[in-house]
Amino acid sequence: MTIETLCVLGLGYIGLPTASTFATHGLKVVGVDVNQRVVDILRNGEVHLHEPGLRTLVQAAFGSGNLSVSETPEPADAFIIAVPTPITEDKRADLRYVREAAESIVPYLRPGNLVVLESTSPPGTTANFLAPILSDSGLRAGEDFHLAYSPERVLPGRILQELLENARVIGGLTPESARAGRDLYALFVRGEIHLTDATTAEMVKLMENTFRDVNIALANEFARLGEHFGVDIWQAIELANLHPRVSILRPGPGVGGHCISVDPWFLVEAAGDRAALIRQARLVNDSQPAYVVERLAAALGGLAGREVAALGLAYKADVDDLRESPAIEVVRHIVDRGARVRTFEPYSPGAEVPGAHLAASLEEALQGAEAVVLLVDHQDFRSLEPAWVAGLMKGSTALDTRGVWSVEAWGASGFRLLTLGAGSQEI
Ligand code: SAJ
């Protein structure tokens, strides 16, 4: 099909880069967000998210005259829904935003249109949840208009590059719908485009993130075993990974972000009796922050009244995203145990954890601390000079939950550096 106009619903980490990229590739795009603040920021030429290259791309999109933003949809040849699908307290997929986005386009849907859902969703969502809502337009999904599911698989921190280069899976409600989806994404995707049905495409997305979650859980369990056996698990992983068919991931303080810590639950929710391993991996990763705090408490001989500097709150290195961040969980636990915690997150300087003191600078976070805990391996923290840190702190305990600080270098500056997964657990 020929597509000239596009309406993208949701201007977050996926929707905004996608809308901007289509605009710079010649489509007339209206980006829609129900959050007035987001629309205002974008209209003022600012960007509300931190992602390398995004500001430049958005400015180029506006500069081309092809991108506009709005709080309400407009008629278009194609619609992309890229809204969040959070989980509820009881770990069920919350499809409220998908529903609202779908309902908002119903009045604009015309015969021959294409609707693509990009939001990560439980298997069957496109066919059994989205199609019925859209049929309120009086048009039949897959017959009067095309309907497809295409998961986004870009890695935060590398979104712009991966958007263009990653292979893309497009699952159609019908083969014609899948082909219409290909006509759209082929405008900029340089990776291969694979067509399938909608439910398979939904499953593929969930499997990818579940694969990663289960493998990180394994790495975290290895770290616990390393401490039990007095083995430096980082060295052991490096050696094991020399095997041609082994590729163990990195232990850490837990798994965060809006994807990997959420998506596996969609499978557990949908068919828990068939997903015991997936559920257990989630539980291992979710218990990792508490495990890390035990290690710190043991090193300090208790946490009540202690002064702790916590470095990083983002869910992973070199991003500003705080969603489901294990670093925040760690800080919460330390606060709950009565320590005085000062946090510093360079990518999101205003981020606060209740009960912790928000330091305005790295110096302020470290000043007078008895222990420093590295929670996120941001580049600035990786290259910290231990002698400089020692000069600011009162105590000499350091806990590295990311395996990036050198025991020798920190030891030479008088630190007792503990690394998650190395040395014996002193509980
Ligand atoms: N982590 C570890 N150890 C590792 C790798 C990651 O502890 O070895 C932690 C990170 O610190 C972070 C969490 O896991 O807290 C997730 O980080 P990540 O870099 O593995 O993944 P995300 O959530 O940033 O992006 C993932 C990607 N999925 C896969 O690699 C299968 C990305 O391609 C998806 O597009 C994205 O989820 C998404 O939106 O679903």
Side-chain angles (χ1 to χ4, degrees):
M1 69 182 280
T2 309
I3 299 164
E4 289 170 357
T5 55
L6 171 69
C7 184
V8 177
L9 294 108
L11 295 176
Y13 284 98
I14 300 303
L16 183 58
T18 302
S20 305
T21 303
F22 274 116
T24 56
H25 284 73
L27 289 194
K28 279 277 178 209
V29 181
V30 56
V32 178
D33 205 293
V34 292
N35 187 337
Q36 178 75 50
R37 190 187 132 259
V38 168
V39 172
D40 288 344
I41 291 173
L42 291 167
R43 279 199 182 125
N44 288 332
E46 297 298 319
V47 173
H48 60 294
L49 308 165
H50 170 84
E51 173 65 28
L54 183 58
R55 174 181 294 269
T56 312
L57 173 67
V58 172
Q59 283 168 355
F62 278 120
S64 70
N66 282 340
L67 178 66
S68 61
V69 286
S70 170
E71 295 95 62
T72 47
E74 289 175 14
D77 299 326
F79 297 84
I80 291 178
I81 299 176
V83 295
T85 44
I87 41 170
T88 58
E89 279 293 311
D90 59 344
K91 311 292 185 195
R92 307 182 80 78
D94 180 354
L95 296 176
R96 175 186 349 171
Y97 303 114
V98 175
R99 170 185 291 285
E100 287 170 6
E103 285 172 351
S104 77
I105 59 176
V106 164
Y108 303 97
L109 214 49
R110 301 283 174 266
N113 277 172
L114 164 67
V115 179
V116 183
L117 176 64
E118 285 201 10
S119 312
T120 305
S121 303
T125 300
T126 306
N128 305 326
F129 181 84
L130 185 54
I133 297 172
L134 295 173
S135 68
D136 284 347
S137 61
L139 302 174
R140 287 159 304 170
E143 292 180 40
D144 301 323
F145 68 94
H146 303 296
L147 179 60
Y149 178 81
S150 183
E152 192 45 75
R153 300 135 106 200
V154 290
L155 193 71
R158 290 167 47 87
I159 289 180
L160 304 196
Q161 189 185 340
E162 294 204 356
L163 201 56
L164 302 179
E165 291 171 5
N166 283 2
R168 187 171 270 274
V169 173
I170 301 175
L173 199 65
T174 57
E176 297 73 40
S177 289
R179 284 196 286 274
R182 180 175 55 198
D183 293 341
L184 174 65
Y185 289 101
L187 287 173
F188 71 72
V189 170
R190 290 187 217 129
E192 284 177 20
I193 296 180
H194 302 274
L195 304 188
T196 181
D197 64 88
T199 306
T200 300
E202 290 161 345
M203 188 73 188
V204 165
K205 169 71 190 190
L206 296 175
M207 284 163 60
E208 290 167 353
N209 282 351
T210 299
F211 172 87
R212 199 151 167 86
D213 195 46
V214 170
N215 280 284
I216 297 169
L218 185 62
N220 284 334
E221 208 157 87
F222 283 151
R224 298 177 190 194
L225 290 168
E227 291 177 12
H228 181 73
F229 292 117
V231 165
D232 178 344
I233 211 65
W234 300 91
Q235 190 200 2
I237 289 175
E238 213 177 302
L239 293 173
N241 282 351
L242 295 175
H243 187 289
R245 286 176 295 284
V246 173
S247 181
I248 300 165
L249 292 172
R250 298 173 69 83
V255 170
H258 182 58
C259 305
I260 296 191
S261 67
V262 172
D263 299 356
W265 287 118
F266 291 1
L267 293 174
V268 175
E269 173 203 346
D273 55 339
R274 292 161 187 247
L277 172 67
I278 297 171
R279 183 172 190 279
Q280 192 55 35
R282 275 287 64 242
L283 298 180
V284 167
N285 287 334
D286 276 355
S287 64
Q288 193 72 352
Y291 180 83
V292 163
V293 174
E294 281 307 329
R295 184 95 200 263
L296 180 68
L300 287 176
L303 288 171
R306 313 309 288 267
E307 304 269 351
V308 178
L311 305 192
L313 291 176
Y315 84 93
K316 69 172 186 177
D318 303 321
V319 301
D320 69 340
D321 196 337
L322 304 171
R323 290 177 297 176
E324 321 293 333
S325 174
I328 292 179
E329 266 320 288
V330 169
V331 171
R332 278 203 190 110
H333 281 291
I334 304 177
V335 167
D336 284 350
R337 296 192 43 177
R340 286 201 289 271
V341 188
R342 282 192 297 275
T343 62
F344 179 64
E345 171 45 67
Y347 288 95
S348 194
E352 268 187 284
V353 182
H357 174 78
L358 167 66
S361 65
L362 183 55
E363 286 91 328
E364 192 196 328
L366 292 166
Q367 201 84 49
E370 292 169 75
V372 54
V373 187
L374 177 72
L375 295 173
V376 188
D377 47 337
H378 291 316
Q379 183 52 51
D380 288 357
F381 296 157
R382 268 181 294 211
S383 56
L384 262 187
E385 199 45 67
W388 178 78
V389 178
L392 292 165
M393 286 176 54
K394 186 165 73 189
S396 58
T397 300
L399 174 59
D400 171 9
T401 68
R402 296 286 183 172
V404 292
W405 284 347
S406 145
V407 176
E408 291 73 30
W410 284 72
S413 293
F415 276 100
R416 176 169 168 246
L417 174 65
L418 307 168
T419 307
L420 174 74
S424 56
Q425 174 65 281
E426 299 154 71
I427 297 171

